[in-house]
Amino acid sequence: MCHARRVTSEHATPTDSGAAPDLATLARVVAGQRAEIERLRDRATTTAVVARAEGAVMALTGVSAEAARETLARRAKEGRRTLLEECWITLGTLAPPADADPLPGRAGAPAPQLPDARPSDDRLPDGAPAVPPGLAEALTHVASPQELARCLHRRLAPAVGADAVVLCARVPSGGLELMGHSGLDEAAAARWPQVPPSSGTSALEALRTGEPRWPDDAEGWPPAGGPSGRARPQAWLPVPPGAPADVCLGVLRPVDGRPFTSGDRDRLRAVARLCAGWLRSYRGRPRPAGAGAAGDVQRVFDALPVAAVLLTPVRAPSGHVTDFRVDSATAQAAEFAGGADPAGRQLREWLPEPVAEPLRQGCLRTLATGEPYEGEPFAHRDAGDAGAEAATYSVRAAPLGDGLVLSWVRHDASDRQEQRLADLQRLGDLGWANWDLVAGEAAWSEQVFAIFGRDRGRGPVALTGLPGLALPDDVPALTRAVRALTREGRPCDLPFRTRTPAGVRHLRIVAEAVTDDNGTPVEVHGFVQDLTARRLAELALVESERAMLTQQGVLLAERTLAARLQDALLPLPRRPLRPAGLRVEVAYLPAQAGVQVGGDWFSAIELPDGDALFVVGDVAGHGVDAVATMAQLRFTAKGMVVTGSSLTGALARLNALLLHSRGAHGTASMVLARYSPGRRRLLWAQAGHLPPLLLRAGKARYLDRPKGILLGASHAPVFAEAECLLEPGDRLLLYTDGLVERPSDGIDRGLERLASAAAAHHADRAGTLEPLLAALLTEDELRDDVCVLDIQVPDNPVEQP
């Protein structure tokens, strides 16, 4: 049930009254408004996580939105988790593999299955929650892996005695790189540039096997050991659990701390499952903190027909650069070191010392000054082609982020290489551009003309004229970047928009300056990349999330309206009713799943002649329309019987009303019963409804149903009446199908379960319905509304006429 929230505020003293404003009152108002804004912001972020999880379940299983919500709620209940915790776990486990069929359920493709979740996975044996309280909510405010490490450290310190938390990610070379950390001192963090793939550390083993590792000492790499070689208990868990995983969560205890108990390990496994959802949602995949562009560069390198590597500085604890490590490499780069794969190796390990040392010194100068380094030309013959003529190369190093791009430039470039470069630009939607600032000349590749939609005959645009191609809102930023590039030699990496004959395009320019001996920029070279497709996809995703939030608000508003309408039309009595000398107890339980309200209803009144009329009905469907149809049938049925219609006559007229009324809602089932107290005679008829249950002398049996079909199902229905003489102490149950229907059982099994439970509770004369309903229903079983009339004949006999 939804509750209206009322926000009140106090009026400040009018300025024209001559009195000073009540500052305390104004402060309270402002504080209240800020608190309300924070509450709404928290609610919006939480709702977005739930909506994404529902969307993942819908996409992978092909079910409806309501079924997806039911699945998440059921799994949260089974796992004894909160709904938000279940959503994070779902986002971390439902992401399909890269080679999976993108259309689940398509012919020839196996239908994806939801991963099994057991209650013991995320709860300790004593029933305490494995996940620290509030962690799921805290994840909605985490914006980076570094913040995630700090958040986990704060939560795990009291829960498992965590002294430090480390997040590391697998890099393309096969090693590990630090994403974020909390609790490590600067010296320990400085020893974390990268874990080589050959280290055999517990973190790498956890990623390779998909199983946690619980070492009691530091094992060399990663550098997590305590001083003097003393043991430091650790935990390394793959995120998400199972192989293959890309991220490892490390939890370190203080030096000489106690080992992790089985309860601690269960808590950490649960935390790893929860964090997997955040990492999946963080820009689609985890990125190491400070890792630069290694992953992106490797994907570009895979398409480049040149020899190039990405170098990252290797620093000592003091911060001094001791060497350079190869993070990414093209296939051709191996030819310059005897065919060995350079990824993950340092320059001194990869290249011979006479070659590595001069190159290392040149890279140090480039790293310090930002100026590209170009070595002396040398002759090189391609490996495996001893008969070919040696080609002339030179090694060039240029800064890229925190690292360097090292490339081998062939001075006698062939037509085939030029064609490959043209293909690379076309397939990657990028092209190169050069500007000679001294001669005032410019040169663009063909792809740059295509990106800007500019006629090749008009020639390239001067660097100072480049801002004129941008949209007005982007002109100032691009102008500042060009000015800093041409005057100060500062490199630029800037997104901007331009208008072309094909429409608005989202572009990115990356450029650097070449300076003379005085440091004055004399040339600029770089590339322009078209990011329109990626940007449109991002905007579509944001719009989809907004639409989901809007739709959820509409559904909640409809449920609120239907619930209020239902409460107004079907008020529940607070105490048992006494029509015609009977004791009648009423129960109405709304469904717990979904946001819709059902159309179940009842009536229990005493007629003017002293008889009692009992009605139980159920309108097919949910929502405002179902509630409106329920009200129409309920009041019409009572009016017909009160004015003298027979039970079957009332059902026939109600059937015609449902068929011909404008805006009528589907079909409905109903039971009409009239009780005469003189002979204790019950006359009843039904329209496609389940039979009443009679309890007598501790035994339960269902009354034989007379003829009758659903209201609104036929233009020529046949209805009949049946009679039953009640005895003192008898009980009669009229109910809707929500009491007996279960997804896993047939209707016959549900009726048997009701009869057994009613017979077992027949002797309970005080609060009759409460123990019966408690035995039959649990919250997760309330998939439909339940309405029950418990009619009891008093034990003292009524005199016969």
Side-chain angles (χ1 to χ4, degrees):
M1 180 176 294
C2 299
H3 299 280
R5 181 180 179 89
R6 184 176 63 182
V7 179
T8 62
S9 61
E10 297 176 77
H11 297 285
T13 305
T15 57
D16 57 358
S17 65
D22 187 347
L23 296 182
T25 300
L26 292 176
R28 288 195 298 271
V29 172
V30 172
Q33 291 174 342
R34 287 178 177 173
E36 182 68 10
I37 291 173
E38 289 300 322
R39 185 189 68 82
L40 294 175
R41 183 180 293 114
D42 291 345
R43 182 177 179 182
T45 55
T46 301
T47 303
V49 173
V50 175
R52 285 200 296 268
E54 291 175 356
V57 176
M58 293 168 61
L60 290 179
T61 61
V63 300
S64 65
E66 182 174 357
R69 288 191 293 272
E70 293 176 2
T71 298
L72 291 172
R74 172 179 58 79
R75 292 175 64 81
K77 180 70 175 179
E78 292 174 352
R80 288 172 285 176
R81 294 181 284 266
T82 67
L83 178 60
L84 188 57
E85 290 173 355
E86 184 63 34
C87 290
W88 280 125
I89 292 174
T90 299
L91 291 174
T93 56
L94 290 185
D99 56 353
D101 192 319
L103 298 176
R106 189 171 65 182
Q113 299 293 325
L114 293 178
D116 184 26
R118 297 177 175 86
S120 61
D121 286 345
D122 295 321
R123 291 279 158 168
L124 299 179
D126 59 3
V131 177
L135 177 58
E137 290 76 11
L139 289 181
T140 62
H141 302 288
V142 171
S144 68
Q146 182 64 25
E147 291 184 18
L148 178 61
R150 296 193 188 101
C151 175
L152 293 177
H153 190 194
R154 289 194 301 270
R155 304 277 174 171
L156 292 178
V160 297
D163 185 51
V165 170
V166 174
L167 286 170
C168 50
R170 193 198 305 267
V171 296
S173 63
L176 291 177
E177 187 125 18
L178 192 64
M179 295 175 64
H181 64 88
S182 180
L184 292 182
D185 56 39
E186 292 302 321
R191 295 195 297 270
W192 254 101
Q194 188 188 54
V195 180
S198 59
S199 66
T201 181
S202 297
L204 276 172
E205 287 301 312
L207 290 181
R208 291 191 183 109
T209 63
E211 295 293 332
R213 289 292 182 266
W214 317 93
D216 292 331
D217 208 344
E219 303 181 16
W221 277 98
S228 304
R230 288 183 291 172
R232 184 172 190 174
Q234 308 166 56
W236 299 97
L237 300 98
V239 183
D246 293 325
V247 177
C248 192
L249 168 63
V251 180
L252 315 178
R253 275 186 166 163
V255 174
D256 294 334
R258 60 181 177 84
F260 291 93
T261 65
S262 60
D264 296 333
R265 297 182 181 189
D266 286 342
R267 287 189 175 92
L268 294 178
R269 288 189 182 97
V271 169
R273 293 187 63 196
L274 206 65
C275 292
W278 184 92
L279 288 169
R280 294 281 193 191
S281 304
Y282 179 65
R283 296 185 180 178
R285 60 176 296 177
R287 285 183 172 269
D296 294 336
V297 170
Q298 183 61 57
R299 287 190 289 274
V300 175
F301 277 8
D302 291 341
L304 284 174
V306 298
V309 297
L310 176 66
L311 299 179
T312 298
V314 177
R315 300 181 183 273
S318 62
H320 176 68
V321 177
T322 60
D323 205 345
F324 293 86
R325 184 187 65 252
V326 178
D327 275 349
S328 303
T330 63
Q332 291 80 0
E335 298 176 359
F336 292 88
D341 184 7
R345 304 172 68 181
Q346 297 185 11
L347 282 181
R348 289 173 175 172
E349 299 173 349
W350 175 37
L351 299 175
E353 181 65 20
V355 178
E357 184 56 26
L359 184 57
R360 190 178 71 87
Q361 294 299 329
C363 290
L364 287 174
R365 287 195 298 270
T366 299
L367 189 66
T369 64
E371 297 179 359
Y373 159 80
E374 187 164 348
E376 294 294 330
F378 64 94
H380 176 75
R381 182 178 288 107
D382 292 342
D385 195 0
E389 183 180 357
T392 302
Y393 291 85
S394 61
V395 181
R396 186 175 188 275
L400 178 64
D402 296 332
L404 302 174
V405 172
L406 189 68
S407 59
W408 283 258
V409 180
R410 182 169 180 169
H411 295 284
D412 51 349
S414 64
D415 294 339
R416 182 181 179 187
Q417 289 175 315
E418 293 179 359
Q419 182 60 45
R420 286 180 176 177
L421 181 58
D423 292 340
L424 171 65
Q425 295 181 76
R426 177 177 53 84
L427 295 175
D429 276 334
L430 56 85
W432 58 263
N434 288 329
W435 290 275
D436 188 333
L437 303 182
V438 177
E441 298 176 351
W444 285 3
S445 69
E446 293 293 336
Q447 190 62 28
V448 175
F449 284 100
I451 289 174
F452 280 103
R454 184 177 177 85
D455 185 1
R456 182 71 174 82
R458 299 175 60 187
V461 175
L463 185 58
T464 54
L466 192 63
L469 300 180
L471 294 185
D473 290 344
D474 297 339
V475 168
L478 189 55
T479 301
R480 289 192 296 269
V482 170
R483 185 182 299 116
L485 185 65
T486 57
R487 295 181 181 179
E488 305 172 23
R490 291 192 303 187
C492 75
D493 184 343
L494 186 71
F496 67 97
R497 295 166 297 169
T498 185
R499 188 175 301 279
T500 71
V504 175
R505 288 185 176 179
H506 296 262
L507 308 181
R508 174 194 181 201
I509 181 171
V510 178
E512 63 180 6
V514 178
T515 60
D516 58 15
D517 294 340
N518 298 322
T520 302
V522 296
E523 185 180 351
V524 171
H525 55 83
F527 68 86
V528 178
Q529 185 178 15
D530 189 349
L531 303 176
T532 303
R534 182 188 305 177
R535 182 57 179 163
L536 292 179
E538 293 174 353
L539 294 176
L541 178 60
V542 171
E543 186 62 29
S544 176
E545 291 182 349
R546 289 177 179 173
M548 286 190 295
L549 292 174
T550 301
Q551 182 63 21
Q552 186 177 29
V554 171
L555 293 176
L556 289 175
E558 182 178 347
R559 176 179 175 84
T560 301
L561 175 60
R564 291 178 178 176
L565 180 61
Q566 187 182 53
D567 290 341
L569 298 176
L570 191 67
L572 293 177
R574 297 184 178 181
R575 56 178 60 88
L577 304 176
R578 301 287 182 176
L582 301 174
R583 184 183 186 275
V584 180
E585 189 173 344
V586 180
Y588 184 90
L589 303 176
Q592 298 299 315
V595 298
Q596 297 287 0
V597 177
D600 293 17
W601 88 92
F602 70 91
S603 287
I605 62 173
E606 184 169 319
L607 299 174
D609 60 0
D611 289 357
L613 174 66
F614 302 107
V615 186
V616 170
D618 184 2
V619 174
H622 297 78
V624 176
D625 291 342
V627 174
T629 303
M630 173 270 289
Q632 186 181 31
L633 294 178
R634 180 172 182 260
F635 292 115
T636 304
K638 290 195 299 185
M640 288 180 179
V641 176
V642 169
T643 56
S645 293
S646 64
L647 301 182
T648 56
L651 290 177
R653 290 179 175 85
L654 292 173
N655 182 75
L657 177 66
L658 200 58
L659 285 172
H660 301 293
S661 292
R662 192 173 186 179
H665 187 83
T667 60
S669 66
M670 183 185 299
V671 168
L672 282 172
R674 183 167 186 153
Y675 174 77
S676 300
R679 297 178 52 203
R680 293 191 296 274
R681 174 175 175 263
L682 183 76
L683 190 66
W684 69 287
Q686 61 87 27
H689 205 85
L690 297 173
L693 177 63
L694 177 64
L695 296 162
R696 177 176 292 172
K699 296 182 179 180
R701 71 177 180 88
Y702 290 98
L703 302 184
D704 295 332
R705 295 172 61 196
K707 291 183 179 180
I709 65 173
L710 285 172
L711 299 178
S714 172
H715 286 273
V718 176
F719 299 107
E721 296 178 345
E723 181 183 83
C724 177
L725 297 180
L726 302 180
E727 298 179 1
D730 283 353
R731 288 176 57 194
L732 191 71
L733 294 181
L734 306 181
Y735 51 92
T736 56
D737 55 5
L739 186 64
V740 295
E741 286 187 344
R742 300 292 181 275
S744 58
D745 294 335
I747 190 65
D748 292 338
R749 177 73 185 105
L751 293 174
E752 292 175 1
R753 184 170 51 248
L754 172 59
S756 299
H761 293 82
H762 178 54
D764 185 5
R765 307 301 295 174
T768 41
L769 273 182
E770 185 174 345
L772 175 60
L773 296 178
L776 286 172
L777 300 173
T778 60
E779 288 189 2
D780 58 337
E781 291 178 327
L782 285 177
R783 298 176 179 270
D784 195 4
D785 292 1
V786 174
C787 182
V788 183
L789 285 184
D790 183 7
I791 305 170
Q792 301 178 22
V793 181
D795 291 330
N796 54 321
V798 179
E799 295 183 1
Q800 302 295 330

